[in-house]
Structures are given as C-alpha cells and as structure tokens.
C-alpha cells in the first residue's frame, strides 16, 4: 500500500479540525476551563497552516510559507498559553506571539 503525501496531509488536517472542534465544544460546556479553548484554537491554527502550505498547486511561494509557518508556531504558543492557564497561571499572549515574531524576523 502506497501512502500519498497529499492524502496524509488531508487526513491530518481533518483530524486536527475535529480535535479542535471537540475541544472548543467542550469549552462551551465548561466555561471555567479556558485551557480547552486555547488548545482547540491551537489545533485549528495548525490545520490552517499545514493546509495552506501543502495543499496548493505546485510549490508554495515565499509569503505562503512565511505565514503558514507563522500559524504553526502560533499554534505552539497557544498550546503553551493553554498549559499556563490550565495550571492557574496568567495566560499572557506575549508568550504565544514571541515565537512568531522571531520567526518572521529570522525567516529571510
């Protein structure tokens, strides 16, 4: 059985969207646990970033790679902020966006 990279990408994107939707839905049922919203948003960010970079026709251009990878890094930041919120610490967006700022500055 040969696994096509485009098929695996679509499967990953669909799985990330389902997991993100379930986490956000769980957050709507329990609004006290804000970490679920952060984690659900992270899954959606990575799905959009991976989909944008990999599902176009031909190789992606410079702006597409820059923004798609920035979304991926932002999703890691959202996971980190969600972990901070889960541990009853302050969820500062600066921590989540610092990696994106470094990436945009270092990409060229």
């Amino acid at each position: 059985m040969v696994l096509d990279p485009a098929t695996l990408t679509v499967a990953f994107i669909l799985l990330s969207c389902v997991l993100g939707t379930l986490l956000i839905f769980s957050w709507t049922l329990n609004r006290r646990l804000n970490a679920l919203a952060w984690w659900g948003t992270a899954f959606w960010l990575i799905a959009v970033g991976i989909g944008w970079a990999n599902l176009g026709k031909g190789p992606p251009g410079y702006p597409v790679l820059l923004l798609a990878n920035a979304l991926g890094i932002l999703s890691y930041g959202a996971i980190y902020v969600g972990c901070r919120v889960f541990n009853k610490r302050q969820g500062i967006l600066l921590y989540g966006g610092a990696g994106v700022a470094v990436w945009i500055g270092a990409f060229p």
Side-chain angles (χ1 to χ4, degrees):
M1 179 166 98
V2 177
L3 297 175
D4 183 32
T7 305
L8 291 174
T9 301
V10 169
F12 174 78
I13 291 169
L14 291 175
L15 180 65
S16 295
C17 290
V18 167
L19 289 173
T21 303
L22 288 174
L23 283 167
I24 291 172
F25 179 70
S26 297
W27 171 70
T28 61
L29 297 176
N30 185 7
R31 296 281 178 141
R32 290 177 295 148
L33 191 57
N34 290 330
L36 294 173
W38 282 102
W39 294 331
T41 303
F43 273 108
W44 271 99
L45 285 171
I46 196 66
V48 170
I50 293 293
W52 196 12
N54 291 327
L55 294 181
K57 293 183 180 180
Y62 176 81
V64 172
L65 282 178
L66 178 70
L67 294 176
N69 286 323
L71 285 176
I73 293 169
L74 190 61
S75 72
Y76 292 127
I79 290 172
Y80 177 71
V81 172
C83 290
R84 286 184 59 87
V85 169
F86 184 76
N87 289 317
K88 309 268 190 288
R89 294 184 180 174
Q90 189 176 10
I92 300 173
L93 292 176
L94 177 66
Y95 295 142
V100 175
V102 170
W103 171 254
I104 290 175
F107 185 69

